[in-house]
Amino acid sequence: MMYPVRGTEGSTVLCVNKMEADLTGFNIDAPRWDQRTFLGRVKHFLNITDPRTVFVSEQELDWAKMMVEKSRMGVVPPGTQVEQLLYAKKLYDSAFHPDTGEKMNVIGRMSFQLPGGMIITGFMLQFYRTMPAVIFWQWVNQSFNALVNYTNRNAASPISVRKRRPWWAAGCPLPLWLRLTVSISP
């Protein structure tokens, strides 16, 4: 049976099985799914925000970075399979910043947004009865969101800490005001 594998500039390379392919025309930076369609963009986003990538070891992330960089240079180790390169690209896209190439903080990665947000939301729903608890969990939530936004920022245009601080501080008073307004309304 022949399986299609995406090559350069949208071309398709046929291979005998999914694991064997001619990697001479393989472009690791070519989108795996058609980015002109909604479904293609959703598949791409789900691929790089997969929460399972949070549990990958540092050595495996370093391997993924090395494989992506070697593939970009056209020097792929012999015996490398297409699926290995696609997995390396998935790990690279989920863990390394697209502008700087630096490894991102685990808590700030988009792949941690779902589990991290669920944990914080669970605590916010559980501990809402006292004002100190509401203040604390709003602060934790705002700090987590600020970290995710900072980690995934556009590093090509830097923003100073002085400009970031007011936005982080402004996120806590609104929920507290809403909590007070709702609790004293008839």
Side-chain angles (χ1 to χ4, degrees), residues 48-49 53-58 61 91 94-96 103-115 144 147-148 151-152:
I48 63 173
T49 61
T53 61
V54 171
F55 302 108
V56 173
S57 69
E58 294 293 316
L61 293 176
L91 293 180
S94 71
F96 293 91
K103 196 178 297 179
M104 295 186 283
N105 181 338
V106 174
I107 297 171
R109 294 180 194 162
M110 287 303 294
S111 53
F112 190 75
Q113 179 72 12
L114 175 70
F144 173 68
L147 178 63
V148 170
T151 304
N152 294 284

Side-chain angles (χ1 to χ4, degrees), residues 11 20 28 33 46 59 67 74-77 81 137 146 167:
S11 65
E20 296 176 14
I28 197 145
W33 297 279
L46 291 175
Q59 291 95 358
M67 290 299 286
V75 185
V76 179
Q81 301 162 348
W137 287 107
W167 293 108

